[in-house]
Amino acid sequence: MLASWLTQFVFVTLTVFLVFVVANQNFCASVLETQVDFALLGHVINKTDVFDEFECNLKCIGNRRCKSCNVHPNGNDAGKRLCELNSKTRQMRPSDFKRKIGSTYYSSVQGNCVDVSHERERKMAGQCHPRYKGSWCQTPKKGSSSQHPARSCKMIQDTGDSVGDGEYWIDPENNGNPLKVYCDMSTDGGGWLLVSNLVMASSRRSSVPLLFETSYHAISKYQKNNILLTKTAMNELRTHLNFTQLRFHCSKRLKRTFHVTTAANSFGEAVVQYFSGQIDVLPYSCESFVRMEDDNSELANVCQKWGFEGNKKHNVGKWSSSKRNENRLYDHVVIVYATYHWNIQPSQQRFECDDYKHAVSAGDFWKIYVR
């Protein structure tokens, strides 16, 4: 990570320099010195957790007493760093400059004095660190860390703070307890939050240890590749997030891909309400979804045949089945009787995606997103 960050930091060194100068018009020009696996010991004036090294440098810039800083690994949280602000530099106290594996020392080295006051309003031509924005790269992007969460993946996308598919921090309840989640920022305009995630590790169906979660907070465990939300969890999530779309995406390497989003109409809204546990009436299938480009499923071609509704009534043109309740997000999500299914029933070793009782392969997946 450090090597990657140092590569990105080349683009922001000039920004750091200008912030130094603007903060103090009498300050001489400086460049940033970096010493990997070293730290200045015994002169710490402040300690704080940071998301990355750049944030530590910004804290030093904003503190008049700070002359240099150390960045250490944080043993309590692998996703953060420990930032130490120093009142001295290694040049001032060479005997206290020690080798410390895993740490990095930063300080400014003075050069010629320059006057850049006339350039205060000029925007930087270079790039900011990917997790920061602003004229001086001083503002953390929403979702970039637990200290700066967004309400949702869609908010991150809408505010222009997305840096692509990957992990972000969100706080759906806005209560100061953020979650690290996965956001798909590229499919169909982006802003999708992954809420259920099953990825087969092998072709052995009997070895899948699924987690059926009753709280939406389990979305932070998506990396386990065996998380399925119940109706209760989805209902809780919609109470706080009020998402308006669902996206269903399953794929088998040896078969086909089913990939649809709910439509922006009353039929699509009924699907969202049903799978969020707000209604128990089976939603109509046709006109309720839009196919994604990679969908090559048979299911999407025969929406009028979907569903199973009481007294063995098949082909009713509806999502799900009247026998499903808490497990409606994975057990017979879509069914064309005994032909094509989205179905996860581990007790029967059935993992179906646009097929019926077929085998599975490593890498086959079932994913559900909200937006």
Side-chain angles (χ1 to χ4, degrees):
M1 176 179 177
L2 180 60
S4 174
W5 178 87
L6 288 174
T7 299
Q8 296 166 346
F9 196 84
V10 172
F11 295 100
V12 298
T13 301
L14 181 58
T15 298
V16 174
F17 155 66
L18 286 177
V19 173
F20 264 117
V21 177
V22 171
N24 182 350
Q25 290 300 301
N26 295 321
F27 195 87
C28 289
S30 61
V31 294
L32 196 67
E33 175 193 16
T34 304
Q35 296 284 347
V36 180
D37 290 335
F38 281 90
L40 184 67
L41 306 181
H43 303 284
V44 177
I45 56 176
N46 187 43
K47 293 183 180 182
T48 185
D49 288 336
V50 295
F51 187 81
D52 52 36
E53 293 86 346
F54 185 61
E55 185 178 354
C56 186
N57 279 281
L58 286 178
K59 289 183 179 297
C60 186
I61 291 171
N63 189 315
R64 291 183 177 276
R65 296 178 58 202
C66 182
K67 300 294 190 296
S68 66
C69 59
N70 307 314
V71 182
H72 308 287
N74 190 328
N76 298 323
D77 188 341
K80 296 181 182 178
R81 302 287 186 269
L82 176 63
C83 171
E84 294 180 339
L85 306 186
N86 302 319
S87 60
K88 305 294 181 182
T89 65
R90 71 179 183 89
Q91 289 84 0
M92 296 175 180
R93 295 292 188 272
S95 61
D96 297 327
F97 190 63
K98 306 293 185 181
R99 186 168 183 80
K100 192 172 180 65
I101 302 298
S103 299
T104 307
Y105 166 85
Y106 298 93
S107 71
S108 60
V109 180
Q110 288 190 353
N112 296 325
C113 291
V114 296
D115 178 12
V116 296
S117 58
H118 63 284
E119 296 190 6
R120 287 187 190 183
E121 303 302 323
R122 181 182 299 177
K123 292 181 180 279
M124 297 305 301
Q127 289 181 302
C128 295
H129 185 280
R131 294 186 181 273
Y132 291 82
K133 64 181 180 180
S135 299
W136 304 103
C137 303
Q138 78 281 12
T139 305
K141 291 183 177 180
K142 285 289 186 181
S144 62
S145 70
S146 58
Q147 289 80 28
H148 305 283
R151 287 297 296 273
S152 66
C153 296
K154 187 176 187 304
M155 176 181 287
I156 296 171
Q157 186 78 341
D158 289 346
T159 56
D161 287 350
S162 167
V163 292
D165 299 346
E167 290 185 336
Y168 294 85
W169 289 88
I170 66 170
D171 186 358
E173 299 179 47
N174 198 28
N175 63 0
N177 295 308
L179 302 169
K180 184 186 286 187
V181 300
Y182 183 87
C183 297
D184 178 343
M185 298 302 198
S186 56
T187 302
D188 189 42
W192 294 99
L193 167 63
L194 179 63
V195 296
S196 284
N197 186 38
L198 169 61
V199 182
M200 301 299 292
S202 71
S203 59
R204 294 178 58 232
R205 288 176 286 184
S206 60
S207 65
V208 182
L210 293 180
L211 299 177
F212 302 100
E213 300 290 349
T214 58
S215 171
Y216 85 85
H217 291 88
I219 60 178
S220 63
K221 305 178 189 176
Y222 78 89
Q223 309 98 321
K224 294 181 178 293
N225 291 332
N226 62 353
I227 301 299
L228 299 174
L229 292 196
T230 62
K231 179 192 74 172
T232 296
M234 281 290 281
N235 186 274
E236 179 190 19
L237 178 60
R238 198 178 198 212
T239 298
H240 300 298
L241 205 56
N242 195 31
F243 50 85
T244 59
Q245 282 186 287
L246 291 171
R247 179 157 63 89
F248 299 89
H249 190 188
C250 71
S251 184
K252 282 191 170 181
R253 295 178 59 192
L254 301 180
K255 294 295 288 185
R256 292 175 295 273
T257 293
F258 176 73
H259 192 187
V260 304
T261 69
T262 54
N265 56 29
S266 59
F267 295 104
E269 172 61 19
V271 176
V272 173
Q273 291 184 15
Y274 173 76
F275 285 106
S276 299
Q278 295 174 303
I279 61 173
D280 291 325
V281 178
L282 299 186
Y284 286 101
S285 50
C286 295
E287 299 184 56
S288 71
F289 65 89
V290 177
R291 301 177 72 168
M292 297 291 96
E293 289 185 1
D294 60 339
D295 178 273
N296 60 4
S297 68
E298 297 294 338
L299 276 170
N301 288 324
V302 291
C303 61
Q304 71 279 3
K305 294 183 179 181
W306 291 13
F308 177 88
E309 190 172 26
N311 299 321
K312 297 185 178 181
K313 291 177 63 177
H314 305 145
N315 304 336
V316 292
K318 296 182 179 181
W319 290 75
S320 193
S321 160
S322 56
K323 295 187 292 186
R324 314 303 159 196
N325 193 18
E326 275 296 310
N327 56 355
R328 64 182 60 175
L329 273 93
Y330 45 91
D331 188 348
H332 287 87
V333 172
V334 186
I335 171 177
V336 174
Y337 186 72
T339 308
Y340 312 118
H341 296 172
W342 170 310
N343 182 31
I344 299 172
Q345 288 180 292
S347 62
Q348 299 182 30
Q349 296 186 26
R350 289 176 63 180
F351 298 88
E352 299 162 345
C353 174
D354 201 48
D355 60 9
Y356 179 62
K357 294 185 178 181
H358 285 202
V360 297
S361 304
D364 291 354
F365 65 81
W366 291 255
K367 299 174 185 284
I368 299 177
Y369 299 82
V370 303
R371 178 173 69 180

